[in-house]
Amino acid sequence: MAEALIFHYREQRAFLNRCNPLAKVASVLILLIPLARAPYKLALILLLPLVVLSLTQRLPLRRYGKELTFFFFMAVIIAITEYLATRSPLGTLAACLRFLAIILCGMLLADSTAPDDLARSLGSVLSKIPFVDGWAIASSIELTISMVPLIFDVTNQVTTARKARMERNRHPIRNLTSLGESIFTLLLDRAEELAWALDARSFDPSRARRALPYSAPDFWLTIGTVSLVILTLPFVL
C-alpha cells in the first residue's frame, strides 16, 4: 500500500468533503475561541468531536507515521517547556491536548478541502468587500496552502533517496545541514516548476471563479460547532 502523506487532500464522499470550505474554516475559527484558554477537561471535551470526525473522515493516521513523529516531538517540547514554566501537570496536559486539537483541525481541513475549492469559496466572499481584490487574495492563499503538502513530498523524497543510497549518519550536524540544503534546493525547483505551469496556463489570480453552493452538511456543521462553543464558553470566561 502506498504511503499516505499528511496535509494532502483526499477526494471521497465523507461528511466533511461535502461541506463548503468556508463553513469548515469558520467552524475551525469558532472552535479556537474556547480552545485557546481551555483547561485540560474542556480541552478533552473539545477534542472528542474532532476524534469522531477523524473516524468518519477515515484519516489514515497509521500511514502518517513519519509526519506524526515530528508533531510528537513538538508535543514533547511543549510539555517540557509548559511544565518548567508552570510546574503544573494539569496545565501541561491541557497544553498538549490543545496542541493536538489544533493539529487535528488542520489535518481534517486539509484532508477534506481542495485548495482550489477553498479559493473559490473565499474569493466569492472577499470580492464583495470594496477596494479589495478578493480573488487575488484567495489565489494567494490557495498557492500558499498548496505549498504545505509540497514540503512534505520533498522531504519524503529526499529522505527516501538517502536511505536508498545507504548514506551513513557519522556526523549528525553535517548530515542535518546537508539534508536541509537538499530539501531547500529541491523545494525551490518544485516551486519554479509550479510557476512555469501557472504561466503556461495564463493563470490570472484576479480572475473570478464560480462559487461553491451551500448544502445541509454546512448547516449541521455550523450548528454543531456553535452549540458546542456556547456550551463550553462559560467554563473559559
Side-chain angles (χ1 to χ4, degrees):
M1 183 179 293
E3 181 181 6
L5 294 177
I6 199 171
F7 296 126
H8 281 61
Y9 168 68
R10 294 184 304 138
E11 186 176 357
Q12 53 182 338
R13 292 297 300 171
F15 171 77
L16 288 178
N17 288 73
R18 292 183 283 115
C19 294
N20 189 286
L22 201 58
K24 287 180 281 190
V25 172
S27 298
V28 171
L29 295 178
I30 293 173
L31 189 62
L32 291 179
I33 296 175
L35 189 61
R37 298 175 54 188
Y40 81 98
K41 289 184 178 180
L42 183 55
L44 184 60
I45 293 175
L46 294 174
L47 182 61
L48 289 178
L50 297 176
V51 174
V52 173
L53 285 175
S54 66
L55 293 176
T56 60
Q57 191 67 20
R58 297 180 180 178
L59 286 178
L61 297 178
R62 293 182 179 180
R63 298 166 59 194
Y64 287 162
K66 295 179 181 179
E67 292 82 1
L68 289 180
T69 301
F70 168 77
F71 293 111
F72 171 76
F73 283 113
M74 288 293 296
V76 171
I77 294 174
I78 291 174
I80 294 175
T81 55
E82 183 70 19
Y83 182 77
L84 293 177
T86 62
R87 299 293 179 178
S88 172
L90 295 181
T92 302
L93 178 60
C96 292
L97 289 176
R98 290 195 296 265
F99 175 73
L100 178 59
I102 293 174
I103 295 301
L104 195 52
C105 282
M107 291 172 58
L108 289 171
L109 184 63
D111 186 81
S112 62
T113 309
D116 177 66
D117 291 340
L118 180 60
R120 291 163 61 187
S121 297
L122 288 176
S124 61
V125 175
L126 296 176
S127 60
K128 297 179 182 179
I129 302 177
F131 309 108
V132 173
D133 192 348
W135 290 108
I137 296 176
S139 298
S140 300
I141 296 175
E142 175 188 4
L143 294 176
T144 302
I145 294 177
S146 299
M147 290 297 296
V148 174
L150 184 60
I151 295 174
F152 287 99
D153 290 340
V154 168
T155 303
N156 181 69
Q157 181 178 349
V158 172
T159 53
T160 302
R162 285 173 172 261
K163 288 182 179 180
R165 292 192 295 266
M166 292 186 292
E167 295 187 5
R168 297 182 178 180
N169 188 15
R170 294 181 177 179
H171 304 281
I173 297 179
R174 185 184 304 173
N175 183 73
L176 185 61
T177 303
S178 176
L179 178 64
E181 291 178 354
S182 299
I183 293 175
F184 186 71
T185 301
L186 186 57
L187 189 61
L188 288 179
D189 292 339
R190 292 289 184 86
E192 187 176 19
E193 292 174 1
L194 178 61
W196 288 344
L198 293 175
D199 289 339
R201 293 175 173 84
S202 300
F203 176 73
D204 181 9
S206 300
R207 180 178 60 85
R209 313 183 199 179
R210 184 173 61 87
L212 295 176
Y214 293 92
S215 58
D218 302 318
F219 172 79
W220 293 116
L221 178 64
T222 305
I223 290 297
T225 305
V226 172
S227 300
L228 179 63
V229 170
I230 291 176
L231 292 175
T232 58
L233 202 56
F235 298 97
V236 181
L237 299 178

